[in-house]
Amino acid sequence: MQATPRASHHDVWPLPGRHGRYLLYKAGEIANTDDTLFADVWANTVDSSLHNLVWGWQYVADWDNGAIIHIGPHLECYNAGNWILGGSLLNNVTIVNFALDLVDACWNMYVSTVHGPEVFRYFSSDGNYMGSSPSSVNFMFHERLGFFVYPGDSDYYLRPEVLESKFYVWRATGAVRYYENAVSTLKKFETWLPAPITYAGIDDVDATDSAFIDDMQMALVELSS
């Protein structure tokens, strides 16, 4: 059954980070049940996202009172990993194939900039509504790369979502290119993000001389361990 969004504004940030992981891995174990309720809720949530929020380069959009907002945060890139695990568990080829498309779309941001931006924006067949008007420079950037970055959205906070998805997709498919992608990202850390005792975020992912940010995601530490 396809779900219909009920909230006035809907995005999928929490689904992979907490809600999706809980439903997929923990809920049945904690409840000590083989009831499929939790997996069914997970599948229904993903199905709603695929039917209502998928646009462009296989990005996942925000939804606001029936309007698609063509904006995506770095956090949504973890959907690829969560969905390929769940899709494989449920033998759902549609979810698996979308996860593969999404991980490639997120990777496009990484190879097109120094690192993937905190937030990106894009156009699709239904238009370019995103709550503000893109500039001619944004249109040119999008024409070349399939997305663009607004001023103020260009920072990178050492988020791990793309790397996590690469790991899960590599383990699920065995395709070595996903592993190689992750290795090349870690090499970028060495080149662009070194700090005295760790790595630092940057203000502008489209500049090789960006200023650093005194901030580091705990999740990245957990991923590296």
Side-chain angles (χ1 to χ4, degrees):
M1 179 179 67
Q2 178 185 338
T4 300
R6 295 183 179 179
S8 60
H9 184 91
H10 177 73
D11 59 39
V12 289
W13 296 26
L15 175 61
R18 293 181 177 86
H19 181 63
R21 283 190 238 193
Y22 179 79
L23 286 174
L24 196 57
Y25 313 130
K26 296 297 183 183
E29 179 181 347
I30 292 172
N32 192 28
T33 178
D34 58 2
D35 193 312
T36 63
L37 171 65
F38 301 113
D40 291 343
V41 171
W42 180 91
N44 198 33
T45 305
V46 174
D47 184 67
S48 175
S49 296
L50 295 184
H51 281 88
N52 295 294
L53 303 178
V54 172
W55 298 92
W57 236 86
Q58 294 300 300
Y59 299 128
V60 182
D62 280 12
W63 184 92
D64 188 12
N65 282 322
I68 293 295
I69 306 176
H70 301 78
I71 181 172
H74 191 288
L75 290 168
E76 287 180 5
C77 287
Y78 185 69
N79 283 322
N82 182 262
W83 291 358
I84 199 167
L85 288 177
S88 299
L89 178 67
L90 301 178
N91 293 315
N92 188 313
V93 175
T94 299
I95 295 176
V96 168
N97 287 340
F98 178 80
L100 296 175
D101 288 339
L102 179 57
V103 79
D104 285 342
C106 290
W107 180 242
N108 175 55
M109 293 188 302
Y110 266 57
V111 297
S112 302
T113 60
V114 171
H115 264 286
E118 180 69 9
V119 180
F120 61 93
R121 302 167 191 251
Y122 55 91
F123 310 143
S124 72
S125 59
D126 76 319
N128 58 20
Y129 174 70
M130 54 195 68
S132 54
S133 300
S135 67
S136 58
V137 173
N138 296 148
F139 275 97
M140 292 172 60
F141 198 97
H142 187 278
E143 181 68 22
R144 184 164 57 93
L145 299 172
F147 73 96
F148 64 94
V149 183
Y150 258 16
D153 295 339
S154 61
D155 43 338
Y156 175 67
Y157 279 100
L158 297 173
R159 295 198 184 277
E161 287 77 24
V162 172
L163 283 172
E164 287 182 276
S165 282
K166 287 290 180 182
F167 174 76
Y168 290 132
V169 173
W170 168 55
R171 291 296 298 270
T173 66
V176 71
R177 74 181 179 93
Y178 299 111
Y179 169 82
E180 292 171 343
N181 289 162
V183 170
S184 68
T185 299
L186 293 177
K187 289 180 179 179
K188 280 190 172 187
F189 274 58
E190 298 288 345
T191 303
W192 305 115
L193 309 178
I197 60 172
T198 183
Y199 299 100
I202 52 178
D203 282 324
D204 187 357
V205 297
D206 206 31
T208 58
D209 59 350
S210 171
F212 287 114
I213 300 172
D214 187 15
D215 193 0
M216 183 177 186
Q217 292 287 314
M218 177 60 70
L220 188 67
V221 178
E222 296 170 351
L223 179 66
S224 62
S225 61

